[in-house]
Amino acid sequence: MHTQHAAYAATMGPALGCALADWLDWQARALTEGQIAVPEAAVAVARAINGGQR
């Protein structure tokens, strides 16, 4: 992880960090298996960023 990305990640709360990590893990698996990303992962991260609000 680049220094500036690590600094940003360090400011995240646990819910956002977990949602983002789950999304990135899923995306990495999907890319290696030739799958297309689904938007639900992005929605989960967005909801974590704004405190769960829609």
Side-chain angles (χ1 to χ4, degrees), residues 13-52:
L16 175 55
C18 286
L20 185 55
D22 288 345
W23 181 14
L24 293 174
D25 284 344
W26 182 89
Q27 187 66 60
R29 283 191 309 275
L31 287 173
T32 61
E33 296 170 4
Q35 298 176 6
I36 298 173
V38 294
E40 289 84 12
V43 172
V45 171
R47 286 187 178 146
I49 289 171
N50 71 16

